Amino acid sequence: MKLSKYIYDFILFGLIVSLIFGLIGNGAQPVRLLIIALSPIMVADAFMRPHKSIYYYRYECFFLLFWWLWAVSFFYKAVDEVESLKHIIYLLVHTLGFLEILWAANRASHPQQAIKYGWLVFILLSIPVALYEFLTDFHLPISFQDTGETLYMNGIHVSRPFASVTFGNLNSYNTMLCWGLPSLFMCNLYPRNSLEKIVGLVLMLMVTLIIVANASRGAILCMMLMMATYCYAYYRMGRNRILLITILIIVMGAFVYYLGELFLLIMERFSVQGMEDTGRVENIVQGIHALMDSYGLGIGIGNYEPIMNDVYNVDPPAPHNLLLETLVLFGLPVAIGFVGMFVHLAYISLRRGTSYNRNMLLFCAVVVVLAGVIDSNYIMKATTWMYMASAYVYVDSRYNNGAI
């Protein structure tokens, strides 16, 4: 078969895999450069072949254009004009990247497979770096933290090594692993061959190990709920239920045995703190105040840190909440439209999707709810937009060709 037949599959694969470079390049990250390089081709194709382009998602196209123009119109509020201008450019690039995934998926031969393999390769490439960080406590220069910390809780001293790979901090890397979970669980639930099933199981074990070792409550909860969702789907599909239970018991026993001290620490953190976090609660409360003070229109792009820090005395000024971040920065009109994207996503799956698409909707929904409260600055990260676009492709039955 001609290689050109799969050019759009390679585009999908390349956009996802390029996320592995993380913060390398700062503003000129490889994924952003790739998006910019592809945008003229996408725009030209959209005009020449509208019936095969992203116009199928008219709501998303018009809303994202509105979002960007809304952000530009509030540039006059900028506290730091250079920073706000950078965020406006990033928002434009990321929304183009989101649309490029949909555009390429409409032209690709096996779009869901291309995206799935992109996320799997991303995870595979990140694992050696993460393991090296855990073993040596040596991190890349772009890491915000030089070395792991020693935690003390109720008489327990535990060294807390961490892995951030190319993403600057462990929260960002944990979030990236969570973004990859639907693809990983898809690989395990709907393997195309025995090799893919084995690779999927190995990667699932490694990702679970890294998330537990990084000891992020949000990521651990996300992984646990994904496991429960996976077991539910596996059970309903009539697979080998005894084997499933046996594997789960072995895996849980191995983690408790080999990561005993860390396991105790995690349990201690949950029992003492639960999901409480004074800084996050303060960001929510003061964020709502800032929204009300802006008459529901938002404080303006790029202004979260300076305004929340200087005006509302929030420390640290980091929302750790995707929806809160969108609401405070861009106001109610954009936040409502953003939620509308997820409603449209569910509508696509429930109206014309198969059981496979509905399972993928469940996986993607679980991840976005929990992974959306781990990190901060979601909108300014290409990873968030690549995940959302991947979810669109997974839940739409039009792209099921070769998926199962």
Side-chain angles (χ1 to χ4, degrees):
M1 295 184 180
K2 293 183 178 180
L3 187 63
S4 58
K5 179 181 178 181
Y6 298 100
I7 186 64
Y8 294 98
D9 299 82
F10 288 127
I11 288 174
L12 291 170
F13 178 81
L15 283 169
I16 302 301
V17 172
S18 63
L19 297 174
I20 189 60
F21 294 102
L23 300 180
I24 295 174
N26 294 319
Q29 295 169 10
V31 65
R32 289 173 178 160
L33 296 179
L34 181 57
I35 290 170
I36 292 170
L38 290 171
S39 57
I41 303 174
M42 178 187 69
V43 173
D45 188 63
F47 281 105
M48 290 188 296
R49 305 168 185 261
H51 60 291
K52 293 184 178 181
S53 71
I54 55 179
Y55 288 144
Y56 179 80
Y57 297 100
R58 290 186 294 273
Y59 172 79
E60 286 73 15
C61 292
F62 287 115
F63 169 66
L64 292 177
L65 176 61
F66 165 78
W67 188 342
W68 187 74
L69 293 175
W70 182 272
V72 171
S73 67
F74 284 89
F75 180 68
Y76 72 90
K77 288 187 173 185
V79 176
D80 182 336
E81 293 183 353
V82 173
E83 190 68 18
S84 291
L85 182 59
K86 286 196 301 184
H87 283 210
I88 287 174
I89 295 172
Y90 296 159
L91 179 62
L92 176 61
V93 173
H94 296 161
T95 53
L96 284 173
F98 173 89
L99 295 175
E100 283 173 6
I101 291 285
L102 300 183
W103 160 70
N106 279 320
R107 306 293 303 277
S109 298
H110 304 287
Q112 291 176 353
Q113 291 299 308
I115 289 176
K116 178 184 71 175
Y117 290 135
W119 283 107
L120 294 183
V121 170
F122 161 80
I123 293 172
L124 185 62
L125 292 175
S126 77
I127 287 175
V129 182
L131 294 180
Y132 182 77
E133 289 184 85
F134 283 125
L135 294 173
T136 66
D137 202 21
F138 177 82
H139 311 280
L140 296 177
I142 56 177
S143 176
F144 302 144
Q145 185 178 342
D146 294 330
T147 185
E149 56 186 338
T150 300
L151 301 179
Y152 179 82
M153 299 189 85
N154 290 353
I156 302 175
H157 282 278
V158 177
S159 176
R160 188 190 182 189
F162 73 96
S164 59
V165 189
T166 58
F167 298 95
N169 63 74
L170 65 89
N171 279 338
S172 294
Y173 180 47
N174 281 341
T175 303
M176 278 302 304
L177 291 177
C178 289
W179 289 154
L181 287 179
S183 302
L184 187 56
F185 280 79
M186 169 188 174
C187 181
N188 283 276
L189 199 61
Y190 301 98
R192 302 186 71 190
N193 49 58
S194 57
L195 176 61
E196 185 172 303
K197 186 173 184 178
I198 294 171
V199 170
L201 287 172
V202 172
L203 289 180
M204 183 186 294
L205 290 173
M206 294 304 299
V207 168
T208 304
L209 174 64
I210 292 172
I211 287 177
V212 171
N214 260 339
S216 165
R217 286 170 295 168
I220 291 172
L221 282 175
C222 184
M223 189 70 187
M224 290 173 61
L225 192 52
M226 278 294 291
M227 283 286 190
T229 306
Y230 170 78
C231 291
Y232 169 76
Y234 190 97
Y235 186 86
R236 288 201 61 181
M237 291 173 66
R239 302 288 176 85
N240 193 325
R241 296 163 184 175
I242 296 177
L243 177 63
L244 174 65
I245 295 172
T246 303
I247 290 174
L248 288 175
I249 292 174
I250 293 173
V251 170
M252 290 300 296
F255 280 122
V256 172
Y257 180 80
Y258 288 107
L259 296 172
E261 286 189 342
L262 184 58
F263 183 81
L264 289 175
L265 172 66
I266 293 169
M267 292 300 100
E268 186 70 20
R269 292 184 71 197
F270 273 107
S271 64
V272 173
Q273 297 176 326
M275 287 305 291
E276 290 183 30
D277 190 313
T278 303
R280 296 183 190 228
V281 172
E282 185 181 13
N283 271 278
I284 293 173
V285 173
Q286 297 301 330
I288 298 301
H289 286 166
L291 177 68
M292 294 174 64
D293 291 342
S294 70
Y295 303 102
L297 301 179
I299 62 177
I301 191 169
N303 290 335
Y304 192 94
E305 183 173 343
I307 289 181
M308 298 309 293
N309 187 32
D310 299 337
V311 178
Y312 295 93
N313 300 314
V314 175
D315 184 29
H320 289 286
N321 190 309
L322 172 59
L323 183 58
L324 177 69
E325 179 183 314
T326 307
L327 187 63
V328 175
L329 287 176
F330 304 102
L332 285 169
V334 169
I336 293 172
F338 186 51
V339 172
M341 290 179 65
F342 293 99
V343 173
H344 188 208
L345 187 65
Y347 174 78
I348 290 172
S349 176
L350 297 176
R351 185 190 176 194
R352 55 176 177 268
T354 64
S355 60
Y356 158 76
N357 299 115
R358 295 187 183 98
N359 280 335
M360 292 308 299
L361 174 66
L362 185 59
F363 289 158
C364 292
V366 167
V367 168
V368 80
V369 168
L370 290 173
V373 295
I374 298 173
D375 202 9
S376 288
N377 211 25
Y378 285 97
I379 301 301
M380 294 305 118
K381 293 178 179 175
T383 53
T384 308
W385 295 91
M386 293 296 101
Y387 171 75
M388 291 194 299
S390 299
Y392 267 82
V393 177
Y394 282 150
V395 307
D396 194 332
S397 60
R398 297 188 310 136
Y399 306 126
N400 286 357
N401 181 29
I404 51 177

